[in-house]
Amino acid sequence: MVLVSGSGTNLQALLDAASDDAYGATVVAVGADRDDIEGLARAERAGVPTFVERVGDHLDRDKWDERLAERIAGHRPDLVVSAGFMKILGPRVLAAFPVVNTHPALLPAFPGAHAVRDALAYGVRVTGCTVHLVDAGVDTGPVIAQEAVPVLEGDDEKSLHERIKTVERGLLVEMVGRMAREGWTTTGRTVRLGTTSGRTTK
Ligand code: GAR
């Protein structure tokens, strides 16, 4: 299942890939932390069940985490993909499911909500995207795959982010598909794909 907060172009790439049986994964549900976003509309158009859990509708983040974990569990996903979900996931969700996140920078550089803006402000010549497992920190989990994207003369946040997102969608689709088809193991900070033995985190 996929969690979104915005336009959902990464979600769309997953939905498109999953329409082919050979992909090996389906999107069983889409969850969001806000209403009226294109990500939810994309799921509805694809006939995928959706739900919304707003932090503000709960007493505190702990209660939100508890309810979000229940909502996710209701769809019995093998994997949760955070694709532009702009909230830090809590301990209950993370204990119950493996979660993959896509981030628009080469972690550990530029974690957080403004990665593209921060990379431009720093003046880097190369940035990119990272697909990683989520742990309790902010964009600190073990890296699954990364791809570089050059910063071009005259780039602004929008143009650079669009170029990163083109690469990011391909990388996310490829990695989620491989995880579903081949399995993975995590040993310390190393994620190894293609280990049919399972998904044990040591
Ligand atoms: C993506 O670039 C994703 O990496 C980023 O939001 C965008 C969502 O695009 N996520 C973060 O910055 C999380 N820190 P989308 O809604 O079109 O898939």
Side-chain angles (χ1 to χ4, degrees):
M1 79 155 293
V2 182
L3 297 173
V4 295
S5 297
S7 65
T9 65
N10 281 283
L11 163 66
Q12 188 67 56
L14 289 166
L15 288 168
D16 293 348
S19 67
D20 180 350
D21 284 348
Y23 184 60
T26 55
V27 180
V28 292
V30 171
D33 63 329
R34 62 196 76 182
D35 301 292
D36 296 328
I37 53 170
E38 184 58 20
L40 288 171
R42 289 177 192 276
E44 280 153 20
R45 286 197 293 273
V48 172
T50 63
F51 65 82
V52 176
E53 281 305 327
R54 282 177 293 262
V55 173
D57 289 346
H58 297 271
L59 268 181
D60 53 30
R61 282 190 90 98
D62 194 52
K63 290 271 179 275
W64 171 74
D65 173 40
E66 196 176 315
R67 184 67 187 132
L68 184 61
E70 285 171 6
R71 297 297 295 269
I72 296 171
H75 296 280
R76 307 174 66 84
D78 296 315
L79 181 68
V80 174
V81 180
S82 158
F85 188 65
M86 304 304 278
K87 290 280 183 301
I88 308 298
L89 290 165
R92 285 190 189 74
V93 170
L94 296 179
F97 311 98
V99 183
V100 168
N101 180 50
T102 179
H103 184 75
L106 294 174
L107 293 170
F110 313 117
H114 307 290
V116 180
R117 191 186 308 168
D118 295 346
L120 270 177
Y122 195 89
V124 294
R125 298 305 173 99
V126 177
T127 183
C129 53
T130 302
V131 174
H132 67 98
L133 287 172
V134 176
D135 65 9
V138 177
D139 301 323
T140 53
V143 170
I144 301 167
Q146 295 183 300
E147 209 164 318
V149 174
V151 179
L152 303 181
E153 193 107 0
D155 256 340
D156 59 16
E157 187 177 354
K158 190 166 183 293
S159 65
L160 179 57
H161 199 174
E162 281 310 316
R163 237 174 28 262
I164 291 171
K165 282 173 71 168
T166 304
V167 174
E168 186 180 16
R169 289 189 283 266
L171 192 67
L172 182 68
V173 164
E174 184 189 342
M175 290 305 137
V176 168
R178 285 193 60 191
M179 290 172 87
R181 293 188 303 272
E182 304 168 21
W184 74 92
T185 52
T186 309
T187 310
R189 294 200 55 85
T190 304
V191 182
R192 198 164 287 115
L193 296 173
T195 29
T196 46
S197 59
R199 294 151 183 195
T200 358
T201 299
K202 289 177 195 149

mmCIF file of all heavy atoms in Angstrom, residues 136-153:
data_model
loop_
_atom_site.group_PDB
_atom_site.id
_atom_site.type_symbol
_atom_site.label_atom_id
_atom_site.label_comp_id
_atom_site.label_asym_id
_atom_site.label_seq_id
_atom_site.Cartn_x
_atom_site.Cartn_y
_atom_site.Cartn_z
ATOM 1 N N ALA A 136 13.289 4.927 12.726
ATOM 2 C CA ALA A 136 12.673 5.929 13.600
ATOM 3 C C ALA A 136 13.164 7.351 13.339
ATOM 4 O O ALA A 136 12.552 8.321 13.776
ATOM 5 C CB ALA A 136 12.916 5.547 15.055
ATOM 6 N N GLY A 137 14.268 7.501 12.617
ATOM 7 C CA GLY A 137 14.816 8.839 12.374
ATOM 8 C C GLY A 137 14.173 9.505 11.165
ATOM 9 O O GLY A 137 13.287 8.950 10.519
ATOM 10 N N VAL A 138 14.656 10.717 10.871
ATOM 11 C CA VAL A 138 14.149 11.443 9.704
ATOM 12 C C VAL A 138 15.088 11.172 8.523
ATOM 13 O O VAL A 138 16.202 11.681 8.480
ATOM 14 C CB VAL A 138 14.065 12.962 9.991
ATOM 15 C CG1 VAL A 138 13.600 13.719 8.752
ATOM 16 C CG2 VAL A 138 13.131 13.220 11.167
ATOM 17 N N ASP A 139 14.629 10.325 7.606
ATOM 18 C CA ASP A 139 15.396 9.963 6.407
ATOM 19 C C ASP A 139 16.743 9.329 6.734
ATOM 20 O O ASP A 139 17.739 9.575 6.036
ATOM 21 C CB ASP A 139 15.575 11.210 5.500
ATOM 22 C CG ASP A 139 14.241 11.791 5.072
ATOM 23 O OD1 ASP A 139 13.307 11.009 4.821
ATOM 24 O OD2 ASP A 139 14.127 13.027 4.997
ATOM 25 N N THR A 140 16.766 8.512 7.777
ATOM 26 C CA THR A 140 18.028 7.906 8.222
ATOM 27 C C THR A 140 18.106 6.392 7.980
ATOM 28 O O THR A 140 19.115 5.773 8.299
ATOM 29 C CB THR A 140 18.239 8.144 9.734
ATOM 30 O OG1 THR A 140 17.058 7.700 10.426
ATOM 31 C CG2 THR A 140 18.493 9.598 10.047
ATOM 32 N N GLY A 141 17.065 5.778 7.444
ATOM 33 C CA GLY A 141 17.037 4.322 7.321
ATOM 34 C C GLY A 141 17.976 3.794 6.245
ATOM 35 O O GLY A 141 18.480 4.548 5.408
ATOM 36 N N PRO A 142 18.227 2.468 6.261
ATOM 37 C CA PRO A 142 19.151 1.851 5.300
ATOM 38 C C PRO A 142 18.770 2.125 3.834
ATOM 39 O O PRO A 142 17.614 2.001 3.446
ATOM 40 C CB PRO A 142 19.022 0.353 5.613
ATOM 41 C CG PRO A 142 18.538 0.280 7.009
ATOM 42 C CD PRO A 142 17.676 1.482 7.217
ATOM 43 N N VAL A 143 19.782 2.477 3.053
ATOM 44 C CA VAL A 143 19.588 2.829 1.643
ATOM 45 C C VAL A 143 19.384 1.562 0.806
ATOM 46 O O VAL A 143 20.133 0.596 0.938
ATOM 47 C CB VAL A 143 20.816 3.612 1.133
ATOM 48 C CG1 VAL A 143 20.761 3.793 -0.388
ATOM 49 C CG2 VAL A 143 20.910 4.963 1.833
ATOM 50 N N ILE A 144 18.375 1.591 -0.047
ATOM 51 C CA ILE A 144 18.135 0.484 -0.989
ATOM 52 C C ILE A 144 18.769 0.819 -2.336
ATOM 53 O O ILE A 144 19.455 -0.007 -2.931
ATOM 54 C CB ILE A 144 16.622 0.218 -1.150
ATOM 55 C CG1 ILE A 144 16.002 -0.127 0.209
ATOM 56 C CG2 ILE A 144 16.371 -0.890 -2.173
ATOM 57 C CD1 ILE A 144 14.472 -0.092 0.211
ATOM 58 N N ALA A 145 18.552 2.033 -2.824
ATOM 59 C CA ALA A 145 19.121 2.441 -4.114
ATOM 60 C C ALA A 145 19.147 3.954 -4.213
ATOM 61 O O ALA A 145 18.331 4.643 -3.577
ATOM 62 C CB ALA A 145 18.277 1.871 -5.256
ATOM 63 N N GLN A 146 20.101 4.447 -5.003
ATOM 64 C CA GLN A 146 20.198 5.894 -5.228
ATOM 65 C C GLN A 146 20.536 6.156 -6.681
ATOM 66 O O GLN A 146 21.174 5.326 -7.333
ATOM 67 C CB GLN A 146 21.315 6.504 -4.358
ATOM 68 C CG GLN A 146 21.020 6.402 -2.880
ATOM 69 C CD GLN A 146 22.072 7.061 -2.017
ATOM 70 O OE1 GLN A 146 23.229 6.672 -2.061
ATOM 71 N NE2 GLN A 146 21.652 8.047 -1.235
ATOM 72 N N GLU A 147 20.121 7.305 -7.167
ATOM 73 C CA GLU A 147 20.486 7.687 -8.529
ATOM 74 C C GLU A 147 20.798 9.178 -8.549
ATOM 75 O O GLU A 147 20.094 9.976 -7.914
ATOM 76 C CB GLU A 147 19.331 7.342 -9.484
ATOM 77 C CG GLU A 147 19.827 7.032 -10.878
ATOM 78 C CD GLU A 147 18.789 6.327 -11.744
ATOM 79 O OE1 GLU A 147 18.088 5.418 -11.245
ATOM 80 O OE2 GLU A 147 18.681 6.718 -12.915
ATOM 81 N N ALA A 148 21.850 9.520 -9.269
ATOM 82 C CA ALA A 148 22.302 10.918 -9.304
ATOM 83 C C ALA A 148 21.578 11.706 -10.394
ATOM 84 O O ALA A 148 21.208 11.158 -11.431
ATOM 85 C CB ALA A 148 23.807 10.957 -9.550
ATOM 86 N N VAL A 149 21.401 12.995 -10.134
ATOM 87 C CA VAL A 149 20.811 13.927 -11.107
ATOM 88 C C VAL A 149 21.661 15.196 -11.067
ATOM 89 O O VAL A 149 21.870 15.755 -9.991
ATOM 90 C CB VAL A 149 19.340 14.265 -10.725
ATOM 91 C CG1 VAL A 149 18.763 15.340 -11.638
ATOM 92 C CG2 VAL A 149 18.469 13.017 -10.757
ATOM 93 N N PRO A 150 22.159 15.661 -12.226
ATOM 94 C CA PRO A 150 22.980 16.889 -12.204
ATOM 95 C C PRO A 150 22.126 18.129 -11.959
ATOM 96 O O PRO A 150 20.968 18.192 -12.380
ATOM 97 C CB PRO A 150 23.588 16.921 -13.616
ATOM 98 C CG PRO A 150 22.676 16.101 -14.462
ATOM 99 C CD PRO A 150 22.034 15.077 -13.560
ATOM 100 N N VAL A 151 22.721 19.097 -11.281
ATOM 101 C CA VAL A 151 22.073 20.412 -11.147
ATOM 102 C C VAL A 151 22.533 21.235 -12.343
ATOM 103 O O VAL A 151 23.736 21.334 -12.603
ATOM 104 C CB VAL A 151 22.495 21.096 -9.823
ATOM 105 C CG1 VAL A 151 21.843 22.479 -9.711
ATOM 106 C CG2 VAL A 151 22.133 20.219 -8.630
ATOM 107 N N LEU A 152 21.603 21.799 -13.094
ATOM 108 C CA LEU A 152 21.957 22.547 -14.297
ATOM 109 C C LEU A 152 21.942 24.046 -14.028
ATOM 110 O O LEU A 152 21.237 24.525 -13.130
ATOM 111 C CB LEU A 152 20.979 22.213 -15.432
ATOM 112 C CG LEU A 152 20.869 20.729 -15.808
ATOM 113 C CD1 LEU A 152 19.888 20.548 -16.967
ATOM 114 C CD2 LEU A 152 22.231 20.135 -16.162
ATOM 115 N N GLU A 153 22.733 24.756 -14.804
ATOM 116 C CA GLU A 153 22.775 26.215 -14.736
ATOM 117 C C GLU A 153 21.338 26.752 -14.884
ATOM 118 O O GLU A 153 20.613 26.328 -15.785
ATOM 119 C CB GLU A 153 23.630 26.706 -15.913
ATOM 120 C CG GLU A 153 24.014 28.126 -15.821
ATOM 121 C CD GLU A 153 25.504 28.275 -15.479
ATOM 122 O OE1 GLU A 153 26.197 27.247 -15.316
ATOM 123 O OE2 GLU A 153 25.922 29.429 -15.373
#
